[in-house]
């Protein structure tokens, strides 16, 4: 059996990206996550479907302890003791969550070191560029943070609750799923319908459909079977227009499109062009078919409006990473974990126990290097 | 039968503060207290395949990415695939050749679907699907590795700038001797100060303006949902995420681990499995030490009235024990948690920070009258069951509390009074402390002393169903 010389003495490094809906998990230097699993766990037999909504410190601690336990002993099959851990997290994730996660990992599981990597910066590692406008459309919200020369520009952040969940709510209201037996969940069915039958239609078709007219060619209907017993019909119109909610402007004239344009208009004049030509889309929802082309169409269309007319931008360019969009941030964390910088920027357990706090940014300040 | 184990009518409060059933608890013989799987540290003992039960060493498992080399899973329904064979005659004159393919006996998926060629061996060198972007990601990793190394070089260069005129100490540090040797051998010189250190260049990704459009036939095509994979099927192979069920490849079976459990406080093993067997070397389950409590009879509960409750205690240990009861004091329940140490027990050298205990928040809905005095329970004797003449000495028992007694079991009378404001259909939660006599044999082994008996307190919670 051939054993690579470089993986034996080195401490294994584990990369975790805890999303609102799905958690990506794997080892650093590997090219894809080992597993993508739903972020849910059980406390004493009661399922917790969304860890991020646990407000109570006690419940959150228990939920995270159980969840990390499952990750390590069911999927990683390594004891977390004395391992290095990288957490890829959004910059807007709550501080309490971060603190409790650090406490669980350092005290309960005794990991050697921990590093929180901002997901927006890490995503650029997968492209080899240092400036980009990173838009993360996940399950709960769309978060936009531009990154200039490797530094996230927090002043220009934009976030809106327009993501996978909004689309699923559209499906729930527009499709009559009917009565469900207790062991079926409406959330799972809505997600399944979204992932398997829906796509993002073009701007032209969406405009015609919005006026109530028929469009040619008409999208075919789909027979969807629930539990092998009943079947419901999902009409073609619904299939192509459920994602439109992401591009509809709300009362403040904000949508995913205007989020990008607002960021560009507020940014420095010198970086505007560069940002517009380096748009990076990450997160599971952007994997919907036609999302990228629709976004481009919407952006170009919106440029004509008087508000954004004075922007001297004529085209938008998008990056395509060598990975699926739902684990780009994870892959960035994995690439980061393969470099020497991990040892410099991580917080060690000794440091955590002495200082008893988690730094906001990975820095070398007050830290000793881990060997 | 197994369901009675999961009824949460009688729970014990673990030292960490969680409410657990007796079969879920462990008993640390050194700390003399209850532990549950939340408050012990888990270690990985052996890795095995859940299908073929082959044990793998941790290095081997790591190398195989925690997947079994021989067992495969159906990509559609995740059941284990079986190998099927058939004979075929490639040429008329040659002997027939056996060919193998994979079949899922549950959903009838076969390896012909993603057009995997049939294999001539039964173990089958089933093709391993590769991530199509491997090359690019490897380039990126190498690039960032060298960038980070260059950073280190630059930093070293900065730090060594202000040394004195004497460069002798650099001789070894920068391997000047090695440089001389290279020069003598006629090899090109390399720069040890990092100036000549070249980072492997990569081409940064090019953004594109012509983004992929929707396929033109997406509108009119009839969608056959049987052909579209579910998210679960896609995420089973994150690097491929095939959307068409025909492109799903068999998955290698994920391995599992046997845990060995260790008490966090005293670092002694609580549970340790035996290698290559479904047995344990060490198993200190609470079920083997703590008397088990079951409800036999309960009079209808009336708010504000006393009604009798009969509990059966069963001693699982081979030595006789005695129990004493106390009322549960909610004020002190969170104060004393980690039990006292035994005399002569050596302390752990480096006290480490332990997870904080979970505060116990309880609400009792009534009053309970517990039996007074000490009640002895005989040791477990497996032969006693077949002995009809088995007489138990009941002389010392107070008939006010002891209902009956047989072998290692005793039934005790309790009195419960639900509080006046008990709501209808709300479970009646009551608690008491049970002290049971535990014969501590560990100390005897270490210090050559006589085994001593200790009283171990355990908080018991009753959750009586109430249908007033």
């Amino acid at each position: 059996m051939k054993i690579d010389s470089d993986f034996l003495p080195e401490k294994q490094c584990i990369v975790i990206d805890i999303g609102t809906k799905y958690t990506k998990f794997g080892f650093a230097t590997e090219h894809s996550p080992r597993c993508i699993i739903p972020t849910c766990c059980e406390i004493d037999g009661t399922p917790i479907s969304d860890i991020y909504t646990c407000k109570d410190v006690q419940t959150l601690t228990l939920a995270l302890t159980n969840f990390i336990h499952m990750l390590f002993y069911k999927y990683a099959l390594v004891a977390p003791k004395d391992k290095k851990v990288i957490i890829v997290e959004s910059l807007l994730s709550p501080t309490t969550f971060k603190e409790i996660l650090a406490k669980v990992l350092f005290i309960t599981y005794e990991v050697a070191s921990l590093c929180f990597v901002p997901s927006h910066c890490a995503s650029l590692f997968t492209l080899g560029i240092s400036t980009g406008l990173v838009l993360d459309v996940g399950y709960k919200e769309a978060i936009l943070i531009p990154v200039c020369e490797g530094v996230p520009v927090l002043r220009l952040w934009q976030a809106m609750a327009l993501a996978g969940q909004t689309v699923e709510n559209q499906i729930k209201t527009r499709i009559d799923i009917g009565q469900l037996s207790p062991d079926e969940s409406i959330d799972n069915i809505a997600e399944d319908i979204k992932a398997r039958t829906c796509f993002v239609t073009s701007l032209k078709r969406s405009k015609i459909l919005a006026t109530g007219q028929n469009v040619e060619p008409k999208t075919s209907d789909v027979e969807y079977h629930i539990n092998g017993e009943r079947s419901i019909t999902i009409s073609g119109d619904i299939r192509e227009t459920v994602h439109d909610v992401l591009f509809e402007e709300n009362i403040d004239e904000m949508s995913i499109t205007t989020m990008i344009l607002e960021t560009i208009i507020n940014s420095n004049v010198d970086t505007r062009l560069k940002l517009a030509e380096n748009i990076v889309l990450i997160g599971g929802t952007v994997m919907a078919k036609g999302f990228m082309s629709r976004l481009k169409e919407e952006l170009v269309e919106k440029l004509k409006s008087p508000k954004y007319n004075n922007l001297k931008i004529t085209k938008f360019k998008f990056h395509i990473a060598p990975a699926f969009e739902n684990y780009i941030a994870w892959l960035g964390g994995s690439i980061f974990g393969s470099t020497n910088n991990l040892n410099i920027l991580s917080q060690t357990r000794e440091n955590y126990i002495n200082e008893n706090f988690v730094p906001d940014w990975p820095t070398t300040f007050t830290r000793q290097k881990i060997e | 039968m197994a369901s009675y184990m999961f009824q949460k009518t009688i729970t014990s409060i673990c030292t960490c503060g969680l409410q657990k059933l007796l079969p879920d608890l462990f008993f640390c013989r050194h700390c003399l207290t209850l532990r549950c799987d939340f408050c012990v540290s888990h270690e990985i003992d052996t890795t095995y395949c859940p299908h073929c039960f082959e044990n793998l060493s941790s290095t081997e498992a790591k190398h195989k990415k925690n997947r079994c080399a021989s067992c495969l899973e159906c990509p559609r329904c995740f059941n284990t695939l079986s190998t099927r064979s058939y004979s075929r005659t490639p040429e008329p004159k040659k002997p027939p050749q056996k060919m193998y393919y994979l079949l899922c006996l549950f959903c009838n998926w076969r390896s012909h679907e993603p057009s995997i060629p049939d294999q001539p061996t039964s173990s089958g060198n089933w093709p391993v699907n590769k991530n199509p972007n491997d090359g690019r990601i490897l380039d990126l990793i190498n690039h960032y590795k060298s960038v980070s190394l260059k950073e280190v070089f630059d930093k070293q260069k900065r730090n060594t700038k202000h040394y004195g005129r004497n460069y002798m100490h650099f001789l070894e540090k920068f391997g000047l001797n090695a440089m001389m040797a290279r020069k003598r051998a006629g090899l090109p010189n390399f720069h040890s100060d990092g100036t000549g250190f070249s980072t492997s260049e990569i081409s940064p990704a090019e953004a594109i303006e012509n983004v992929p459009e929707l396929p033109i036939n997406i509108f009119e095509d009839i969608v056959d949902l049987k052909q579209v994979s579910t998210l679960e099927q896609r995420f089973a192979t994150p690097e491929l995420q095939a959307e068409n069920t025909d492109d799903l490849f068999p998955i290698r079976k994920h391995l599992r681990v046997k845990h060995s459990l260790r008490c966090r406080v005293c670092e002694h093993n609580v549970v340790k499995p035996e290698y290559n067997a479904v047995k344990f070397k060490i198993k200190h389950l609470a079920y083997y030490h703590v008397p088990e409590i079951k409800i036999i009879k309960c009079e209808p509960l009336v708010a504000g009235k006393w009604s009798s409750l009969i509990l059966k205690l069963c001693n699982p240990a081979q030595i006789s024990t005695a129990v004493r009861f106390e009322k549960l004091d909610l004020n002190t329940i969170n104060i004393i948690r980690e039990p006292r140490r035994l005399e002569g027990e050596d302390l752990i050298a480096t006290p480490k920070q332990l997870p904080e205990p979970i505060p116990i928040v309880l609400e009792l809905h009534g009053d309970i009258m517990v039996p007074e005095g000490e009640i002895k329970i005989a040791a477990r004797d497996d032969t006693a069951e077949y002995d009809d003449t088995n007489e138990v000495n009941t002389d010392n028992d107070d008939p006010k509390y002891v209902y009956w007694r047989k072998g290692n079991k005793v039934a005790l009378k309790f009195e419960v009074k639900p509080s006046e404001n008990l709501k209808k259909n709300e479970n009646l939660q009551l608690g008491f402390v049970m002290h049971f006599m535990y014969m501590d044999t560990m100390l005897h082994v270490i210090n050559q002393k006589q085994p001593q008996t200790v009283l171990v307190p355990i908080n018991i919670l009753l959750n009586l169903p109430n249908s007033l």
Side-chain angles (χ1 to χ4, degrees):
Chain A
M1 194 176 77
K2 180 186 157 284
I3 294 173
D4 289 337
S5 58
D6 60 347
F7 85 21
L8 269 182
E10 180 94 350
K11 277 179 196 163
Q12 271 178 309
C13 176
I14 287 135
V15 185
I16 313 173
D17 177 2
I18 304 179
T20 356
K21 183 83 182 177
Y22 286 100
T23 294
K24 281 69 74 179
F25 173 84
F27 292 95
T29 73
E30 284 186 8
H31 299 178
S32 65
R34 288 286 178 89
C35 61
I36 300 177
I37 49 163
T39 312
C40 56
C41 65
E42 278 190 353
I43 300 175
D44 271 349
T46 342
I48 305 277
S49 58
D50 185 357
I51 294 179
Y52 280 95
T53 51
C54 295
K55 289 280 172 284
D56 175 28
V57 173
Q58 205 58 56
T59 337
L60 186 59
T61 314
L62 276 178
L64 278 174
T65 313
N66 289 352
F67 186 65
I68 301 282
H69 185 275
M70 183 179 78
L71 280 183
F72 276 98
Y73 294 95
K74 198 174 165 197
Y75 295 100
L77 309 190
V78 288
K81 198 172 177 177
D82 297 332
K83 298 284 183 304
K84 297 176 193 170
V85 177
I86 296 178
I87 305 281
V88 182
E89 58 139 32
S90 161
L91 281 171
L92 300 186
S93 114
T95 319
T96 12
F97 185 85
K98 190 172 171 177
E99 275 166 2
I100 289 173
L101 184 61
K103 195 177 197 174
V104 166
L105 283 168
F106 276 128
I107 305 293
T108 314
Y109 290 112
E110 302 176 37
V111 298
S113 72
L114 181 61
C115 189
F116 285 94
V117 184
S119 60
H120 289 81
C121 300
S123 307
L124 295 188
F125 287 141
T126 62
L127 298 163
I129 54 172
S130 56
T131 303
L133 188 124
V134 188
L135 175 65
D136 177 359
V137 192
Y139 182 67
K140 211 157 218 169
E141 53 185 356
I143 299 169
L144 186 150
I145 295 172
V147 181
C148 285
E149 298 301 329
V151 180
V153 188
L154 272 182
R155 188 174 61 83
L156 300 174
W157 71 278
Q158 296 276 348
M160 279 185 85
L162 286 178
Q165 202 175 23
T166 336
V167 179
E168 278 170 31
N169 286 340
Q170 281 282 313
I171 292 176
K172 282 182 211 164
T173 49
R174 288 174 66 180
I175 300 173
D176 181 23
I177 294 176
Q179 277 296 315
L180 294 172
S181 62
D183 53 332
E184 294 162 334
S185 135
I186 188 157
D187 293 330
N188 291 349
I189 292 174
E191 186 191 20
D192 198 48
I193 291 176
K194 179 187 76 172
R196 290 168 75 193
T197 66
C198 300
F199 59 94
V200 191
T201 188
S202 63
L203 180 61
K204 205 172 94 195
R205 283 173 68 95
S206 165
K207 272 187 180 164
I208 301 170
L209 283 166
T211 56
Q213 287 167 319
N214 279 336
V215 68
E216 283 304 320
K218 200 168 159 30
T219 310
S220 56
D221 297 352
V222 172
E223 284 292 310
Y224 185 83
H225 298 271
I226 297 170
N227 212 5
E229 285 169 356
R230 299 182 291 121
S231 82
I232 50 171
T233 310
I234 301 162
S235 82
D237 291 358
I238 293 176
R239 279 181 58 206
E240 57 182 315
T241 53
V242 278
H243 283 89
D244 285 1
V245 67
L246 302 179
F247 303 101
E248 275 163 22
E249 288 181 10
N250 68 2
I251 200 151
D252 298 325
E253 294 190 345
M254 288 303 281
S255 70
I256 285 195
T257 329
T258 46
M259 267 168 76
I260 294 178
L261 290 170
E262 278 295 315
T263 302
I264 292 176
I265 210 164
N266 288 330
S267 66
N268 195 318
V269 183
D270 302 326
T271 54
R272 280 182 190 172
L273 192 69
K274 210 162 181 195
L275 288 180
E277 293 189 353
N278 285 293
I279 299 176
V280 182
L281 300 178
I282 62 172
T285 303
V286 306
M287 287 175 83
K289 281 193 209 84
F291 185 92
M292 204 184 256
S293 64
R294 172 69 180 272
L295 184 60
K296 197 193 113 188
E297 283 174 349
E298 292 269 353
L299 284 170
V300 172
E301 168 92 8
K302 200 78 205 159
L303 263 188
K304 293 171 194 153
S305 74
K307 195 173 172 191
Y308 303 108
N309 209 2
N310 52 355
L311 273 178
K312 298 281 182 288
I313 292 171
T314 48
K315 57 189 174 190
F316 293 93
K317 283 186 179 175
F318 291 85
H319 276 285
I320 292 174
F324 286 98
E325 283 84 346
N326 52 3
Y327 70 85
I328 288 182
W330 180 90
L331 183 65
S334 170
I335 293 175
F336 174 77
S338 67
T339 65
N340 191 34
N341 277 34
L342 170 71
N343 296 340
I344 303 166
L345 295 177
S346 300
Q347 184 182 25
T348 59
R349 193 154 67 104
E350 290 75 44
N351 183 274
Y352 176 80
I353 287 170
N354 293 339
E355 308 273 331
N356 205 9
F357 90 116
V358 193
D360 286 341
W361 296 94
T363 60
T364 46
F365 192 56
T366 73
R367 285 229 207 104
Q368 290 190 342
K369 202 182 152 195
I370 345 154
E371 286 309 326
Chain B
M1 180 60 201
S3 67
Y4 98 95
M5 296 269 206
F6 301 112
Q7 275 180 11
K8 295 213 162 179
T9 322
I10 298 176
T11 48
S12 317
I13 301 177
C14 174
T15 319
C16 66
L18 289 176
Q19 287 179 34
K20 293 271 176 181
L21 296 167
L22 189 65
D24 295 340
L25 286 162
F26 310 103
F27 186 79
C28 178
R29 297 214 292 167
H30 296 266
C31 307
L32 295 177
T33 184
L34 293 178
R35 301 273 177 226
C36 64
D37 63 348
F38 182 77
C39 56
V40 290
S41 67
H42 293 242
E43 283 162 19
I44 283 166
D45 206 68
T46 40
T47 323
Y48 68 95
C49 167
H51 186 243
C52 64
F53 291 114
E54 196 196 318
N55 276 315
L56 287 100
S57 71
S58 63
T59 345
E60 216 178 339
K62 213 190 277 177
H63 184 68
K64 289 177 178 164
K65 296 195 165 187
N66 293 340
R67 304 263 174 193
C68 180
S70 46
C71 305
L72 290 152
E73 243 172 30
C74 172
R76 214 152 67 180
C77 64
F78 307 112
N79 284 292
T80 312
L81 291 172
S82 45
T83 317
R84 287 298 167 107
S85 72
Y86 64 93
S87 302
R88 69 155 196 197
T89 329
E91 283 164 54
K93 279 168 196 164
K94 282 190 178 163
Q97 192 188 4
K98 260 200 162 176
M99 293 301 275
Y100 296 87
Y101 66 95
L102 297 166
L103 172 72
C104 174
L105 295 173
F106 189 77
C107 71
N108 223 10
W109 178 92
R110 35 189 94 220
S111 55
H112 303 141
E113 279 178 37
S115 61
I116 300 175
D118 294 352
Q119 301 291 327
T121 54
S122 65
S123 61
N125 294 319
W126 303 107
V128 185
N129 35 45
K130 276 241 164 71
N131 189 342
N133 298 313
D134 265 350
R136 170 73 181 165
I137 298 172
L138 204 66
D139 286 349
L140 284 166
I141 288 180
N142 286 336
H143 170 71
Y144 282 107
K145 257 187 185 167
S146 58
V147 167
S148 127
L149 267 182
K150 189 168 185 321
E151 227 168 71
V152 174
F153 261 121
D154 289 351
K155 208 176 250 171
Q156 259 179 15
K157 208 173 126 192
R158 264 207 305 278
N159 290 348
T160 51
K161 227 191 319 200
H162 306 295
Y163 278 107
R165 286 212 149 260
N166 185 359
Y167 291 105
M168 283 312 280
H169 59 276
F170 285 146
L171 269 178
E172 274 321 299
K173 190 169 182 185
F174 288 134
L176 287 184
N177 290 339
M179 263 162 76
M180 291 302 284
R182 281 178 77 89
K183 214 171 185 181
R184 246 176 262 138
L187 290 166
N189 200 358
F190 60 71
H191 304 275
S192 55
D193 57 351
T195 46
F197 186 86
S198 62
T199 57
S200 71
E201 278 306 317
I202 51 150
S203 50
E206 282 291 322
I208 48 167
E209 202 191 347
N210 301 323
V211 293
E213 296 286 331
L214 270 179
I216 198 77
N217 54 1
I218 193 163
F219 307 110
E220 280 178 300
D221 273 3
I222 306 291
V223 179
D224 182 8
L225 281 182
K226 289 189 212 84
Q227 289 296 312
V228 186
S229 59
T230 62
L231 284 181
E232 196 188 1
Q233 288 165 349
R234 288 180 206 177
F235 293 163
T237 45
E239 69 275 20
L240 298 173
Q241 301 193 20
E243 280 180 26
N244 193 330
T245 42
D246 287 346
D247 300 334
L248 294 171
F249 279 87
I251 311 157
R252 295 194 178 275
K253 200 106 189 155
H254 203 273
L255 301 174
R256 294 208 183 159
V257 283
K258 282 186 196 170
H259 299 211
S260 69
L261 311 179
R262 205 177 270 283
C263 173
R264 274 192 218 278
V265 178
C266 67
E267 304 218 319
H268 284 97
N269 264 114
V270 181
V271 171
K272 194 172 173 59
E274 205 158 288
Y275 184 74
N276 224 345
V278 196
K279 278 196 286 185
F280 292 95
K281 273 186 204 146
I282 303 169
K283 47 169 181 180
H284 297 312
L285 306 182
Y287 200 65
Y288 295 128
H289 301 283
V290 183
E292 188 194 6
I293 304 174
K294 278 182 195 164
I295 296 175
I296 303 187
K297 212 159 85 180
C298 182
E299 281 181 3
L301 300 167
V302 183
K305 292 253 172 65
W306 288 101
S307 43
S308 85
L309 165 77
I310 295 170
L311 299 180
K312 183 180 82 176
L313 272 72
C314 176
N315 179 17
Q318 304 278 7
I319 12 175
S320 65
T321 181
V323 287
R324 243 182 29 192
F325 296 96
E326 241 178 59
K327 277 188 186 175
L328 192 63
D329 188 358
L330 284 186
N331 300 322
T332 54
I333 195 164
N334 277 320
I335 301 169
I336 321 153
R337 203 64 94 61
E338 216 36 75
R340 69 261 115 99
R341 304 202 150 268
L342 284 171
E343 203 189 321
E345 184 86 356
D346 45 346
L347 284 153
I348 313 149
T350 47
K352 52 176 189 179
Q353 200 174 344
L354 295 167
E356 287 164 16
I358 301 152
I360 307 169
V361 184
L362 278 181
E363 199 189 330
L364 301 184
H365 308 131
D367 207 358
I368 189 161
M369 223 189 314
V370 292
E372 279 167 24
E374 205 173 68
I375 294 147
K376 286 201 163 59
I377 312 177
R380 197 186 77 189
D381 184 4
D382 290 335
T383 56
E385 237 175 85
Y386 309 104
D387 190 1
D388 290 334
T389 59
N390 186 20
E391 282 288 311
V392 191
N393 185 12
T394 53
D395 295 349
N396 298 334
D397 289 342
D398 188 344
K400 197 175 149 197
Y401 300 122
V402 181
Y403 193 59
W404 53 256
R405 191 184 260 290
K406 189 186 178 193
N408 61 339
K409 299 176 188 77
V410 61
L412 299 174
K413 270 187 238 174
F414 287 69
E415 297 270 322
V416 291
K417 186 173 84 171
S419 56
E420 298 282 353
N421 50 4
L422 183 69
K423 284 183 210 92
K424 206 179 173 182
N425 292 330
E426 191 185 26
N427 279 4
L428 175 67
Q429 186 157 288
L430 291 168
F432 59 87
V433 187
M434 176 177 78
H435 296 266
F436 80 99
M437 193 85 86
Y438 176 72
M439 177 81 79
D440 182 34
T441 46
M442 292 309 289
L443 202 70
H444 176 59
V445 178
I446 302 165
N447 289 359
Q448 301 292 316
K449 273 194 216 159
Q450 284 299 309
Q452 60 182 115
T453 53
V454 268
L455 273 180
V456 180
I458 288 169
N459 298 326
I460 308 280
L461 275 187
L462 301 174
N463 222 335
L464 303 174
N466 169 31
S467 50
L468 280 168

